[in-house]
Amino acid sequence: MICGVERMHLFEKDLLETESVGDAALVERARGGDQTAAGLLVERYWRYGVALAMATTREHDAAEDVAQESFVQAFRQLHSLRRPEAFVGWLGCIVRRRCADHVRQARRRRTVSIEQIPFTVLTDASAPRAEEVSDTQLEQVRHAVAELPVRYREIVLLRFMDGLNYNEIARRLGQRPGTVRVRLHRALGRLRHQLDGLLAED
């Protein structure tokens, strides 16, 4: 038989594990030492952190390292976040700072690598076109994306890697949806120009 306290605990756990729970509630719980809440924040924004980091590092392994370091730093400094509902924007700032540190360290080591992103980042992995590309075309895509300015590369990665729409990207980058739409359009225009129509915009 489950007592009242246990029943309430199970109820709160079920509530916590639903997508309807806002960031602010998860942040407050994580501040109190709730590891489940912290884990849900990581699960909710892990792909975002990696995609944002890849726009700068251009290496998937390095991007995952940066994302992991960013989450560790975020949870260590969670008490300093004045607006819990703004967690994702705050996390984005941490990721960008960690990326800047990564680039500086890489330059000092003189081992800056251009490990390009996979083709599936830019197109629906289930689309026939993604399966038909040759190794040469794949390399063209990787090179073209790597050469995009960071302001374009961030949006391309968040759109095609994380699957975010214009409003979601705008919220996470602190930009207007119209700005996101224009920059994505320009980025894809550059890619199409270089890739002879290999890509198609959603």
Side-chain angles (χ1 to χ4, degrees):
M1 182 175 179
I2 300 177
C3 68
V5 174
E6 290 175 329
R7 186 179 295 107
M8 180 60 69
H9 175 73
L10 290 173
F11 172 78
E12 290 180 350
K13 183 175 184 295
D14 290 341
L15 177 63
L16 185 61
E17 291 176 346
T18 65
E19 295 183 357
S20 62
V21 179
D23 290 352
L26 293 178
V27 168
E28 291 298 345
R29 288 175 178 270
R31 280 174 170 170
D34 191 325
Q35 295 301 312
T36 299
L40 286 172
L41 284 170
V42 173
E43 181 179 346
R44 184 173 291 181
Y45 293 118
W46 174 256
R47 286 173 60 85
Y48 162 69
V50 173
L52 199 59
M54 274 189 67
T56 299
T57 66
R58 308 183 188 185
E59 302 177 355
H60 190 268
D61 288 345
E64 288 195 331
D65 288 343
V66 168
Q68 182 174 351
E69 293 167 1
S70 298
F71 275 106
V72 170
Q73 180 179 343
F75 288 123
R76 285 176 177 171
Q77 301 176 353
L78 205 56
H79 63 279
S80 68
L81 178 58
R82 296 181 179 179
R83 296 175 55 237
E85 69 276 9
F87 175 80
V88 64
W90 181 67
L91 175 66
C93 292
I94 293 176
V95 172
R96 289 188 178 91
R97 287 196 296 269
R98 300 297 300 189
C99 283
D101 292 341
H102 171 83
V103 171
R104 282 194 294 269
Q105 292 170 4
R107 284 176 178 170
R108 284 198 296 268
R109 293 193 301 266
R110 296 182 181 181
T111 58
V112 177
S113 173
I114 308 296
E115 178 70 20
Q116 315 297 4
I117 64 174
F119 179 82
T120 51
V121 168
L122 297 176
T123 188
D124 184 350
S126 64
R129 180 171 294 176
E131 298 172 359
E132 295 171 359
V133 293
S134 66
D135 290 341
T136 299
Q137 289 173 320
L138 178 61
E139 186 60 32
Q140 289 175 338
V141 170
R142 291 172 172 171
H143 180 74
V145 174
E147 292 301 313
L148 287 174
V150 172
R151 66 182 182 278
Y152 293 155
R153 198 160 59 241
E154 281 184 346
I155 293 174
V156 167
L157 292 173
L158 289 175
R159 175 67 184 92
F160 293 98
M161 181 177 181
D162 215 9
L164 302 183
N165 60 37
Y166 296 118
N167 290 332
E168 291 169 332
I169 295 173
R171 181 172 67 87
R172 297 194 182 187
L173 295 182
Q175 300 174 1
R176 295 177 181 274
T179 300
V180 170
R181 185 183 296 272
V182 169
R183 289 186 174 178
L184 180 60
H185 177 76
R186 290 176 178 173
L188 294 179
R190 290 190 181 200
L191 292 173
R192 289 195 190 92
H193 179 72
Q194 296 183 54
L195 302 170
D196 295 327
L198 186 62
L199 295 178
E201 183 178 6
D202 286 356

